[in-house]
Amino acid sequence: MNRDSRTFNSIRNIVAGFVGQFIYILAGFINRGIFIQCLSSEYLGVNGLFTNILSILSLADLGIGTAIIYALYKPLAYRDEKEITKLMNFYSKAYTSIGVIVFILGLALLPFLNIIIGEKPNIEESIYIIYLIYLFNTSITYFASYKSSLIIADQKSYISTLITYGVYFVQTILQIIVLLLTRNFILYLIVQSGCVILQNIITTIIADKMYPYMKKYKRLKISKKSKQKLIADVRALVLVKLGSVLVMNTDNIIITYISGLSIVGLLSNYTMIVSAINRVLQQLFNSITASIGNLNAKENNERKESMFEIINFCNFWLFGISSIGIILLINDVIHLWIGEKYILPSSIAIMLAINFYMVGMQNAVWTYKNTMGIFKKGRYLLLLTAAINLILSFILGNIMGLFGVLLSTAIARLLTNTWYDPYVVYKIGFGKGSSRYFLKYIFYIIVLFIASLPTYYLCSLVNYTPLINVLIKFIVCIIIPNIIIIIIFYKSKEMKYILNLIKVLSKSFNIKLRG
């Protein structure tokens, strides 16, 4: 059972997460580069489309995972082995059923693939066989994910991270070998299937060793009261889950319908870069979620809010600087990485950055909302977000193309959960008004705009080879916005906390080195 401090657990998880993400991103970019050289861009479109379709099918978990992880925070904090095992026994049965349901729902979509895809892609393999392998890879993940969730809820996500990225590294090497030797997309996907199974096996073995008491109490069942509470939370989360998945994963389907698979393939190169940045930054919040859950289970509202403001400031800092970098750098990266013919207009980079920032700035809010168990509030709102996004995407997509679809997503978010979720966290979680949050939100945007002006001007002067352009612009995008943010916020309580934490960690590190 986990007895380390919240700070120590968070830092350990963050370090493992960042190292893992570095390996994941590096391997992923090498893999994608070789993929593009060996196979046509239409395979990229198929990959993006099927990934989105199967993400929608993941609705089948109905938010059970989030509800049970929240339920685990308190028994883990107080080392209640019996209650932990009861929840995990329920979780195991639920997720086995979900894996089966996802597979059945996926099979039900087979007759409609031609309608969804539209014009038949110019690929050698059967689109149905490719889809079935994607479906298998998605459904099989559910059979061990509940054990990974226990490790994460116990503030030990670094273990899950090492397993995930270790297996992914092996998978990438094998997939590259398959591409270079055979150029066969089916074999490429089969390698992924084998690695998904391998990851499940490793996770199961390690979790069983870490929590041996689960075998001792394997016949225990959750009480009727606990089950009713879980079901109530799941009912609230199912609508949140539905709306979230529809908002995040319908864009590629709409773009395919309006512009075709080739445009989806081009966009997928951009979204791969943006997703890579998001995954790196997301590690910070994923790594501290369990510790925030522990804090919310024990501390008072004042302490909760104080930590929230610090996390939200880190949110702004990291996602804000990254958004500036996406706007000014992403086309140069695409040019350097896979060639000038894969570049999309700068307006697309701007919209990707805006959506990236809007979602990123919700991290602190969503972390607190989930770890406080505020599931019922706003459960219908994301459905409204999805509806607005869908309607506007078809309207603006037909008028402005790809830009219109991305703009629609930003408008839908702005009108709904961007303002509502913070309001709920402050009202219910902290017991006070949220005006302070929104004033800071607006101020953060103004600061980013100020920071972007000199950064843009300096980047516009750079015109050398693709590699030199990327290197110089990257340095400019790192240095200039950071200097401006540090100057503006130097005396803020958030900046003081961060600087003090760095000093404390430095001292601790030096003491360990001397020891």
Side-chain angles (χ1 to χ4, degrees), residues 94-152:
Y95 257 48
T96 300
S97 301
I98 289 165
V100 174
I101 290 169
V102 167
F103 192 77
I104 293 171
L105 290 175
L107 290 177
L109 283 178
L110 273 173
F112 305 101
L113 280 185
N114 283 332
I115 298 172
I116 295 170
I117 293 171
E119 185 179 344
K120 190 177 185 297
N122 183 27
I123 59 177
E124 296 178 4
E125 295 85 356
S126 166
I127 202 74
Y128 294 100
I129 293 174
I130 292 171
Y131 174 76
L132 286 172
I133 297 174
Y134 272 98
L135 177 59
F136 173 80
N137 291 347
T138 300
S139 58
I140 199 70
T141 57
Y142 288 98
F143 294 97
S145 62
Y146 70 98
K147 291 192 175 181
S148 179
S149 296
L150 174 60
I151 295 171
I152 293 168

Side-chain angles (χ1 to χ4, degrees), residues 426-466:
Y426 269 81
K427 184 179 180 180
I428 297 175
F430 305 144
K432 63 193 300 185
S434 53
S435 58
R436 180 182 173 87
Y437 171 87
F438 291 113
L439 288 172
K440 282 191 174 184
Y441 193 98
I442 294 168
F443 183 61
Y444 288 159
I445 292 173
I446 293 170
V447 171
L448 283 182
F449 181 73
I450 293 169
S452 67
L453 293 178
T455 310
Y456 170 77
Y457 173 73
L458 290 173
C459 286
S460 68
L461 302 176
V462 179
N463 187 22
Y464 302 100
T465 64

Side-chain angles (χ1 to χ4, degrees), residues 173-353:
I173 292 172
L174 294 176
Q175 285 182 320
I176 288 172
I177 292 170
V178 165
L179 284 174
L180 293 174
L181 293 180
T182 69
R183 296 176 182 261
N184 187 301
F185 189 52
I186 298 290
L187 290 177
Y188 177 89
L189 294 177
I190 289 172
V191 168
Q192 183 180 343
S193 302
C195 288
V196 170
I197 294 169
L198 176 63
Q199 183 176 329
N200 285 354
I201 292 170
I202 294 172
T203 300
T204 299
I205 292 170
I206 290 176
D208 287 346
K209 287 183 178 180
M210 289 176 65
Y211 309 101
Y213 56 82
M214 286 200 295
K215 290 183 178 180
K216 179 181 177 183
Y217 303 123
K218 65 180 179 180
R219 297 186 182 278
L220 292 180
K221 296 182 179 180
I222 59 173
S223 66
K224 187 176 180 180
K225 184 179 178 181
S226 296
K227 191 172 183 179
Q228 287 174 342
K229 174 69 168 60
L230 274 173
I231 291 171
D233 287 342
V234 168
R235 282 175 181 166
L237 282 164
V238 63
L239 296 173
V240 175
K241 177 80 172 178
L242 174 61
S244 177
V245 170
L246 289 176
V247 171
M248 296 296 289
N249 296 287
T250 53
D251 281 359
N252 274 356
I253 298 171
I254 294 168
I255 294 165
T256 301
Y257 179 80
I258 293 172
S259 305
L261 277 172
S262 294
I263 294 297
V264 173
L266 291 177
L267 180 64
S268 71
N269 296 321
Y270 281 74
T271 55
M272 181 181 180
I273 295 171
V274 174
S275 296
I277 298 168
N278 185 60
R279 278 194 301 268
V280 170
L281 301 184
Q282 220 32 77
Q283 281 301 323
L284 172 65
F285 300 95
N286 292 342
S287 300
I288 66 173
T289 295
S291 296
I292 294 300
N294 182 278
L295 179 144
N296 287 331
K298 291 183 173 183
E299 304 290 350
N300 59 36
N301 284 353
E302 185 179 347
R303 173 65 174 152
K304 292 175 188 176
E305 184 188 2
S306 176
M307 188 54 62
F308 172 84
E309 290 185 338
I310 291 165
I311 294 170
N312 197 49
F313 175 74
C314 294
N315 220 9
F316 146 72
W317 196 347
L318 294 171
F319 280 88
I321 288 175
S322 298
S323 297
I324 293 172
I326 289 169
I327 293 170
L328 299 177
L329 259 176
I330 197 166
N331 279 346
D332 293 280
V333 172
I334 293 289
H335 187 186
L336 173 65
W337 175 35
I338 50 179
E340 194 173 3
K341 67 178 181 178
Y342 291 95
I343 293 176
L344 290 169
S346 296
S347 59
I348 302 303
I350 292 171
M351 284 314 308
L352 287 170

Side-chain angles (χ1 to χ4, degrees), residues 1 18 104 125 143 197 199 235 237 294 388 392 408 416 420-421 433 477 482 491 498:
M1 194 69 66
F18 277 122
I104 293 171
E125 295 85 356
F143 294 97
I197 294 169
Q199 183 176 329
R235 282 175 181 166
L237 282 164
N294 182 278
I388 294 171
L392 285 179
S408 300
T416 52
Y420 183 79
D421 287 341
C477 288
N482 271 308
K491 292 186 178 181
I498 293 168

Side-chain angles (χ1 to χ4, degrees), residues 330-401:
I330 197 166
N331 279 346
D332 293 280
V333 172
I334 293 289
H335 187 186
L336 173 65
W337 175 35
I338 50 179
E340 194 173 3
K341 67 178 181 178
Y342 291 95
I343 293 176
L344 290 169
S346 296
S347 59
I348 302 303
I350 292 171
M351 284 314 308
L352 287 170
I354 289 172
N355 278 302
F356 168 83
Y357 180 76
M358 290 178 73
V359 174
M361 280 301 291
Q362 294 290 98
N363 273 321
V365 173
W366 287 335
T367 299
Y368 268 71
K369 194 166 183 274
N370 286 334
T371 56
M372 287 177 167
I374 310 172
F375 301 130
K376 293 183 180 179
K377 297 295 180 180
R379 59 188 181 276
Y380 299 108
L381 193 67
L382 272 173
L383 289 178
L384 178 61
T385 310
I388 294 171
N389 181 46
L390 197 61
I391 294 167
L392 285 179
S393 290
F394 274 109
I395 295 171
L396 298 182
N398 279 298
I399 296 171
M400 294 184 279

Side-chain angles (χ1 to χ4, degrees), residues 477-493:
C477 288
I478 290 293
I479 293 175
I480 302 302
N482 271 308
I483 289 174
I484 292 171
I485 288 172
I486 291 170
I487 290 171
I488 292 173
F489 292 100
Y490 183 72
K491 292 186 178 181
S492 69
K493 69 171 185 179

